[in-house]
Amino acid sequence: MRLEKCWFCSSTVYPGHGIQFVRNDAKIFRFCRSKCHKNFKMKRNPRKVQWTKAYRRLHGKDMTQDATFEFERKRNRPERYDRNVTENTLKAIKKIDKVRSDRADRHHKERMRGNKAQIRKENKDVLVESIHMIKAPGAYQEDPSLTIPKRKVKVSQDKMNENRMEE
């Protein structure tokens, strides 16, 4: 079973799926779905369309240099069946998948590390909004920058009359 890559978005095209376009110079373009085919016909550049793998690689969203992708290319060639080779290949595939997922996790952590300043700012904003829950009411009189937001409470006339009678 040969798995092809979509020319536009680089996703896998399984046998019996997708669209194949052959140009006059006999170059074959395979597309995973009509969305990719239409974008190709509109002469869009995959490096400028945000949902494609080419864009993600170019803008540092995906890992570009990973040696585990080389194994995938090698596996695409059909070979004669040998039980030992098959067993070793299956073991290698599991190891490669683990290495690839570890590298992807590391890449994600590296990309998210730059967001600490933004996270701190958001946390600070939340803290300022809910400071009245943390500080005692007497502390607001000492620090004029921290003021409790005033809330208007409606009290009915009956309640006011009852309070006056009790006094």
Side-chain angles (χ1 to χ4, degrees), residues 108-119:
H108 184 262
K109 283 181 185 175
E110 196 68 32
R111 282 195 64 228
M112 293 297 122
R113 189 168 31 162
N115 294 343
K116 282 187 180 177
Q118 182 182 358
I119 292 169

Side-chain angles (χ1 to χ4, degrees), residues 49-61:
V49 180
Q50 292 187 357
W51 50 268
T52 62
K53 283 195 180 166
Y55 175 91
R56 293 186 62 79
R57 282 193 196 115
L58 190 67
H59 291 83
K61 308 291 184 189

Side-chain angles (χ1 to χ4, degrees), residues 19 50 53 55 62 84 91 94 139 141 161-162 165:
I19 301 163
Q50 292 187 357
K53 283 195 180 166
Y55 175 91
D62 270 348
N84 294 332
K91 286 179 185 176
K94 288 179 184 175
Q141 295 167 354
N161 290 337
E162 287 177 14
M165 292 184 148

Side-chain angles (χ1 to χ4, degrees), residues 10-23:
S10 304
S11 64
T12 46
V13 181
Y14 291 95
H17 291 260
I19 301 163
Q20 191 169 354
F21 172 70
V22 182
R23 206 164 50 189

